Each structure stands twice: as C-alpha cells, then as structure tokens.
Amino acid sequence: MHSREEKLEAFGRFLDILDELRVKCPWDKKQTNESLRPNTIEETYELCEAIINNDKHNICKELGDVLLHVLFYAKIGSETGDFDIKDVCDKECDKLVFRHPHVFGEQQTNDVAEVLQNWEQLKMKEKDGNKSVLSGVPTALPALIKAYRIQDKARNVGFDWEERSQVWEKVKEEIAEFEQELSNKDEEQATNEFGDVLFSLINAARLFHINPENALERTNQKFIRRFNYLEKHTLGQGKNLKELSLDEMDRLWNEAKLNEKNP
C-alpha cells in the first residue's frame, strides 16, 4: 500500500483540484450546502450499494465521491469564515481521542459492549448532560435505521430487557394487537399497531446481534433474484407474467430457490 507521504500528497492534490474547480467551473462555483445535500444523500446510497455488492472497485470510486462532498462542505465553510478542512479534521480527532480512553488514556477494556457503553456516556459528557439520550438520533434517518439507533441508545443507559428472550413475548403481543385492529377494521389503529410490530422485531434483531437493515436488504435482493428468474423464464416461453396462474408462478419460484441452493 501507499506510504504516509503519498497519501498526504494525494489529499493535497484533491484540495488543489477542488480549489480550482470552485473558481473556474460554473457548476462548482454556484454550489451551496443546500444544493449539495441531495447529491450527498445519493452518493452515500451509491457507496452503500457498492458495499452490499462487495464491489471493491466501486467502493473505492464511491468513497472518492463521498470524500469530495466532505471537502466541498469544508471549502464552503472556509469561504464563509466558519471553518475549514483543518477544523473538521481537528474536531474529529479530538472527539476520537476523548471517546477512546481505552486506547489513548489509562482506561483498559477488551469488551466491545463496554466500549459502546462508555462511548455513549462520554457523548453525554460532551453535551454537559443538557441534551436527552435520544437527541443524537438524526430525525431524517430512514425509519428502520432510526428505530434501531433509538433502541441502541436506550440500551446504553440501561433501558433494555433483562433477558433477550423476553422480547419474543412482546413481539407476540404486538402481533396480536395488530390482528385485533385489523378485525376491528380500524385502519388508523392498525397502522399504529403495525408500527409497534416492526419496532418490536427490530428490537429482537438488535438483541440477537442482527442488523435489521442489512437483513431486510438481503431479503430484497433475494426476492429480486427469484422474481427476475420467474420473469425471464416466462418471457422465454413467449408469455407474460399476467398469463401465468399462481401455481405456475409458485413452480418457477421454487425452481429459483432450488437453483440458489444448487448453483
């Protein structure tokens, strides 16, 4: 891999190119924090897609795109006199040192759970105890990820099940309440109860060390593969999906499942 000097040289080149673009490119010149934000979200999702696909080439490429946005925001900050990339790096370095006393201080631990609990406690110290435990969860997060983060933060201050197996009774209770509201034909309450079902399942995933976002995306990809198989073989027979019976669809679906097990 590259030396420290080569990495710093590449980073400096990146900064120089961005400086020049900001002066000479009509598109780059007009960008603001607000105009960049939607593109930043898109670039982040593209990086996530590359990670899901384990596409090393595109992970490298998309990391560059995300880094460009980080540098761009810092560049805008320097133009307004609020901060620059040095301030961004210094603040992050100071935070990392402060939150890792087991690495940079005298505290000792090899336990991941203890590290995470200490992390949350140190974050509260940074806020002087004036902000709530859940205030650090961004409101704009997708709901599934937000639920996981809310539960995780609550856990870090001791609000959790004594035994993780207890969560299954909660899951069953929420499903029963959802079914009851469906039978009552109360759409509003059924929606609320379905949210409770999802929240309890996400809680179960957390307790059993499963990332629900990753798990759901695996199922999404699995469904896409199998549905594409069904569609491909239907078109190959000169038909379209609407012409197939459910039995025919099930047969092709099961073929797709079998092919995944025996490629």
Side-chain angles (χ1 to χ4, degrees), residues 186-204:
D186 188 330
E187 186 175 341
E188 182 68 19
Q189 277 303 107
T191 300
N192 292 337
E193 294 300 340
F194 186 66
D196 291 346
V197 171
L198 291 177
F199 196 84
S200 64
L201 284 171
I202 292 166
N203 209 3

Side-chain angles (χ1 to χ4, degrees), residues 152-189:
D152 199 43
K153 282 187 172 292
R155 174 192 66 83
N156 284 322
V157 293
F159 188 77
D160 207 356
W161 299 97
E162 290 184 3
E163 299 290 337
R164 64 183 184 177
S165 59
Q166 294 172 314
V167 75
W168 297 119
E169 288 304 315
K170 186 64 175 174
V171 170
K172 293 172 186 175
E173 174 190 325
E174 298 297 356
I175 291 173
E177 291 176 0
F178 172 57
E179 290 177 333
Q180 181 61 50
E181 296 303 339
L182 286 178
S183 65
N184 293 341
K185 299 187 176 359
D186 188 330
E187 186 175 341
E188 182 68 19
Q189 277 303 107

Side-chain angles (χ1 to χ4, degrees), residues 196-229:
D196 291 346
V197 171
L198 291 177
F199 196 84
S200 64
L201 284 171
I202 292 166
N203 209 3
R206 176 187 61 82
L207 288 164
F208 286 88
H209 310 296
I210 294 169
N211 184 300
E213 172 70 19
N214 292 344
L216 182 58
E217 182 56 24
R218 285 190 187 185
T219 296
N220 289 339
Q221 294 301 320
K222 180 169 59 179
F223 185 93
I224 290 169
R225 285 194 308 271
R226 292 176 182 176
F227 195 86
N228 285 345
Y229 178 93

Side-chain angles (χ1 to χ4, degrees), residues 54-199:
N54 196 27
D55 185 337
K56 304 297 175 58
H57 172 77
N58 272 324
I59 290 174
C60 180
K61 173 181 171 294
E62 299 301 341
L63 280 170
D65 290 341
V66 171
L67 179 57
L68 171 60
H69 281 248
V70 173
L71 298 183
F72 214 138
Y73 290 116
K75 176 66 177 174
I76 293 170
S78 71
E79 292 167 355
T80 59
D82 295 317
F83 57 87
D84 63 15
I85 191 61
K86 180 182 183 303
D87 297 312
V88 172
C89 292
D90 284 344
K91 284 182 180 296
E92 187 64 22
C93 287
D94 291 343
K95 181 171 69 176
L96 288 172
V97 171
F98 178 73
R99 293 188 189 175
H100 290 81
H102 54 288
V103 176
F104 301 105
E106 297 180 357
Q107 187 182 83
Q108 294 184 349
T109 181
N110 291 316
D111 183 72
V112 173
E114 187 177 346
V115 169
L116 291 173
Q117 186 171 11
N118 290 341
W119 179 278
E120 291 298 331
Q121 291 172 351
L122 290 166
K123 284 176 72 173
M124 292 300 293
K125 283 185 180 179
E126 288 175 340
K127 301 171 184 175
D128 297 323
N130 292 326
K131 292 189 177 180
S132 74
V133 171
L134 302 182
S135 63
V137 180
T139 57
L141 277 178
L144 191 151
I145 300 173
K146 186 192 293 185
Y148 187 90
R149 293 293 293 128
I150 287 170
Q151 295 167 2
D152 199 43
K153 282 187 172 292
R155 174 192 66 83
N156 284 322
V157 293
F159 188 77
D160 207 356
W161 299 97
E162 290 184 3
E163 299 290 337
R164 64 183 184 177
S165 59
Q166 294 172 314
V167 75
W168 297 119
E169 288 304 315
K170 186 64 175 174
V171 170
K172 293 172 186 175
E173 174 190 325
E174 298 297 356
I175 291 173
E177 291 176 0
F178 172 57
E179 290 177 333
Q180 181 61 50
E181 296 303 339
L182 286 178
S183 65
N184 293 341
K185 299 187 176 359
D186 188 330
E187 186 175 341
E188 182 68 19
Q189 277 303 107
T191 300
N192 292 337
E193 294 300 340
F194 186 66
D196 291 346
V197 171
L198 291 177
F199 196 84

